Amino acid sequence: MSTATFAAELALYGPVPSAARCAPSLAESQEYCRRLAKGHYENFTMASFLLPRELRPHFHAVYAYCRWADDLADETGGEDSLRLLDWWEGELNSCYQGEARHPVFVALRHTIDEFSIPIEPFQSLLVAFRQDQYRKRYETFNDLLGYCRNSADPVGRLVLYLGRAAMPENVALSDSICTGLQLANFWQDVARDYDRGRIYLPLADCRTAGYDEAMFERREFNPAFRTLLAGQVDRAEAMLRAGEPLVACVPRGLQLDVALFIRGGVAVLDGIRRQNYNVWRRRPVVGKLAKLRLFAAAWWHIHWRGAIV
């Protein structure tokens, strides 16, 4: 949501009026989540269009939960964000106790019951959003992976629950994909994140490459940065590729979505390579024509070659 839109939503559905507010109906709540999902994120709109119709309201509910949590963390900041995230977690706990008032949680309660989703993935996301308020640097790659375990991996696990495919072997593959996709987004957004005061490139790797904070401040592209980012891009692709077997392990109705997430992440990484790793000059994006090609290639492989990514 834009800042103005979120402020209006917070005034309407935020913590002040929530206790006295009458809970909307399930149909009203699902429609709210549908509008939120389809009106915000183009890639999610495409993904939800490809889903079996009966799964769409449940994906919309999960997305709406994540969208609200993300906005509570990013659109306010500092102590206000932490206070609002505490309120959101309180609403989550109430939802699991059978008391839902916010439209997101009215819809989510139905999804939780239908698919027997535990509370842990939802809670883990809030751990990551809180961490964003006070931690802006990561010393090692393992430290960064620890962050991804809360910020990215729970989303894939929720998708597996919706597909009734949350077996341990599938969870491991999903975690690899989700972390790889999170890393691809980090390397795509080095400049944007630095503008927000955040550096996700591991500091130990920066020192090894010879790239220091002063170079970040100057947004300097040099051989050290190229070497640094090339190694991180390769790491992210390896994680995405390691998760490819998941496509064949999820229900048919989810295979194309999973394949597209993998291919989309790899396409971002290829875009970084094509511009010689200079993400300071221009943010690499996957255009609409490229997305159509990814869709066509994924569809052909799944339907004619047995879910091979």
Side-chain angles (χ1 to χ4, degrees):
M1 302 180 215
S2 68
T3 300
T5 300
F6 177 68
E9 292 288 303
L10 193 58
L12 186 60
Y13 295 115
V16 175
S18 63
R21 185 175 60 240
C22 293
S25 68
L26 176 59
E28 291 169 335
S29 299
Q30 289 180 329
E31 175 59 19
Y32 174 84
C33 293
R34 185 194 69 81
R35 289 198 310 270
L36 186 62
K38 296 191 75 171
H40 188 272
Y41 186 35
E42 179 183 347
N43 287 346
F44 186 86
T45 301
M46 171 62 77
S48 63
F49 173 76
L50 299 173
L51 291 167
R53 184 177 298 275
E54 65 274 11
L55 283 182
R56 292 176 197 172
H58 302 293
F59 273 83
H60 294 158
V62 168
Y63 176 83
Y65 171 86
C66 298
R67 179 74 267 147
W68 258 83
D70 193 17
D71 285 338
L72 290 170
D74 283 350
E75 298 292 347
T76 50
E79 292 301 319
D80 285 342
S81 287
L82 292 173
R83 175 179 57 82
L84 288 168
L85 288 169
D86 287 345
W87 163 71
W88 195 242
E89 186 164 25
E91 294 292 300
L92 174 66
N93 290 332
S94 294
C95 174
Y96 270 85
Q97 293 164 8
E99 301 175 5
R101 294 178 297 270
H102 193 288
V104 169
F105 287 104
V106 173
L108 196 62
R109 178 71 251 178
H110 176 60
T111 296
I112 289 165
D113 289 342
E114 177 69 21
F115 295 94
S116 302
I117 303 176
I119 197 172
E120 286 78 13
F122 296 110
Q123 290 175 324
S124 294
L125 288 167
L126 298 182
V127 170
F129 288 131
R130 288 191 181 95
Q131 188 170 323
D132 278 336
Q133 304 309 307
Y134 60 83
R135 187 166 186 180
K136 311 297 184 182
R137 305 287 191 273
Y138 292 86
E139 177 63 23
T140 67
F141 186 67
N142 282 338
D143 291 338
L144 186 59
L145 292 182
Y147 171 75
C148 292
R149 277 193 285 273
N150 288 319
S151 67
D153 296 356
V155 177
R157 296 182 182 206
L158 289 168
V159 171
L160 290 180
Y161 278 107
L162 295 182
R164 306 188 193 278
M167 288 74 78
E169 59 273 21
N170 290 347
V171 168
L173 294 171
S174 174
D175 287 353
S176 188
I177 293 169
C178 291
T179 292
L181 191 57
Q182 175 85 84
L183 294 175
N185 291 336
F186 284 157
W187 312 150
Q188 177 187 38
D189 286 331
V190 169
R192 284 187 177 185
D193 288 331
Y194 191 71
D195 288 341
R196 300 183 181 113
R198 296 170 181 165
I199 296 176
Y200 290 106
L201 287 161
L203 299 183
D205 295 344
C206 292
R207 289 193 296 272
T208 298
Y211 199 83
D212 59 28
E213 183 93 18
M215 294 174 181
F216 275 101
E217 292 177 2
R218 295 192 299 268
R219 289 161 171 74
E220 183 175 331
F221 179 69
N222 57 26
F225 185 82
R226 184 188 299 113
T227 299
L228 170 64
L229 194 57
Q232 305 302 331
V233 165
D234 289 345
R235 276 173 160 171
E237 181 169 2
M239 299 194 79
L240 286 166
R241 297 294 188 191
E244 287 178 346
L246 182 64
V247 177
C249 298
V250 297
R252 190 76 164 179
L254 292 180
Q255 288 181 354
L256 188 54
D257 288 279
V258 174
L260 285 173
F261 280 122
I262 297 171
R263 286 173 177 265
V266 172
V268 167
L269 298 172
D270 286 342
I272 295 172
R273 292 184 179 109
R274 280 195 300 274
Q275 60 189 58
N276 198 26
Y277 303 99
N278 191 353
V279 294
W280 291 118
R281 178 176 57 85
R282 178 167 55 86
R283 179 180 183 267
V285 297
V286 182
K288 290 184 178 180
L289 182 58
K291 288 178 182 177
L292 287 174
R293 288 173 178 157
L294 290 175
F295 171 82
W299 185 92
W300 187 85
H301 278 292
I302 287 171
H303 285 80
W304 296 102
R305 297 184 62 184
I308 300 171
V309 178

